Amino acid sequence: MPADAPTRGAMILAAGRGERLRPLTDRLPKPLVPVAGRPLIEHHLHALAAAGFDQVVINVAWLADAIMAALGEGDRFGLRILYSVETPGALDTGGGIRQALPLLPDAPFLVVNGDVFTDFDFRQLTTPMGADDLARLVLVPNPAHHPDGDFALVGDRVRRGASGDSRRTFAGIGVYRPGLFGGERPVRFGLGEALQPAIEAGRVAGLPFDGRWHDVGRPATLAALGGPPVPSAE
């Protein structure tokens, strides 16, 4: 399959409410929760800079002002940070990416969920995608809280519906073409709604990753990583 230009832009999804970490996230936005010595989102910013990205878009909604004040314009990370500000209810993953498209290059771009902690090297996603592919997803072994996984990886193709050892969990890390988010859509929609027809058409590639990866949107995981305790809601 022919290839095209390498990945250029990068985006961090940081608009979520952090419901599972309440009441901690009632006053502290989830991307700023400290993990391994620094706010969670800063791990991504340093890793993206190390991978050669010089500009990153961050979508924000809940406690947006706190995130923007903490990160600023990105100078201390060696980056230029642009913000896509959403309504208080946020736009979900797909809607958030679609709103941010004017801030991203008209070329394949990388997106990472702001609530994962990983040592994945983003340089692995800067190589050109297949010319017919609309997305490339990073898939990890299924964690205990999600034993059935999300997708099957058959060769380098992401598939739905298969079972067994080929099933893995979507890491919240991927590369997407802007065209994946085109067409008539509601303002608020999930990334999965955009991916499903592309997967069925065989236009989504997969990359397995077996290194360090954690979903930090859960109190037990946050505690295991040395983060602050989540108080019991009264």
Side-chain angles (χ1 to χ4, degrees), residues 120-202:
F120 179 78
D121 186 347
F122 293 121
R123 286 174 292 189
Q124 294 185 63
L125 292 178
T126 59
T127 56
M129 294 172 62
D132 293 332
D133 287 348
L134 289 171
R136 180 193 292 168
L137 308 182
V138 177
L139 303 178
V140 297
N142 300 327
H145 67 267
H146 192 53
D148 295 329
D150 297 309
F151 306 112
L153 186 58
V154 182
D156 71 342
R157 296 291 97 186
V158 172
R159 306 291 187 193
R160 285 190 179 273
S163 60
D165 294 341
S166 64
R167 287 189 66 83
R168 284 176 164 253
T169 291
F170 175 45
I173 305 169
V175 174
Y176 311 102
R177 288 189 192 280
L180 180 69
F181 303 93
E184 293 293 327
R185 299 186 184 277
V187 173
R188 187 179 192 276
F189 67 95
L191 175 58
E193 296 173 46
L195 284 172
Q196 183 172 349
I199 291 172
E200 291 174 353

Side-chain angles (χ1 to χ4, degrees), residues 4-74:
D4 64 356
T7 305
R8 291 172 51 201
M11 180 177 182
I12 302 175
L13 298 178
R17 174 66 176 81
E19 290 287 350
R20 290 192 298 262
L21 296 182
R22 294 184 67 188
L24 177 64
T25 51
D26 286 346
R27 297 185 178 183
L28 180 66
K30 184 166 56 173
L32 298 184
V33 171
V35 174
R38 60 171 53 132
L40 179 58
I41 197 171
E42 292 191 9
H43 292 281
H44 290 326
L45 292 170
H46 285 291
L48 288 167
F53 292 92
D54 55 15
Q55 180 169 294
V56 176
V57 175
I58 302 175
N59 70 329
V60 291
W62 175 250
L63 299 177
D65 290 343
I67 296 173
M68 293 189 287
L71 303 179
E73 297 181 354

